Amino acid sequence: MGRFLVIAGIVLVVLGIAWPLVAKLGLGRLPGDIMWERGNTRVYVPIVTSLVLSVVLSLALYLFSRWRG
């Protein structure tokens, strides 16, 4: 469990550092992401961004598991 937490922490740090680069790619503002704004209320539902990230992470984990054996 400790090893998993360390790896998860490292992944979160890397994602936090890489976030400005990801924002430049347009992730978070893809067609299909829903944004509703009225007055002081803003609702954002990143449907397509979530799908893209899911596919990329699934592919990366699949390749990692094949590489590891």
Side-chain angles (χ1 to χ4, degrees):
M1 183 67 166
R3 187 175 185 182
F4 172 75
L5 290 175
V6 169
I7 292 172
I10 291 170
V11 168
L12 287 174
V13 168
V14 169
L15 286 175
I17 292 170
W19 189 252
L21 299 173
V22 172
K24 287 182 182 179
L25 293 175
L27 262 134
R29 298 286 183 179
L30 295 175
D33 291 345
I34 299 170
M35 185 167 174
W36 180 71
E37 192 171 346
R38 182 174 292 174
N40 292 333
T41 304
R42 180 182 293 174
V43 177
Y44 179 67
V45 183
I47 295 171
V48 175
T49 299
S50 297
L51 289 172
V52 168
L53 289 176
S54 175
V55 167
V56 168
L57 288 174
S58 294
L59 180 62
L61 290 173
Y62 172 75
L63 292 174
F64 179 73
S65 70
R66 300 272 300 180
W67 170 72
R68 189 164 176 179

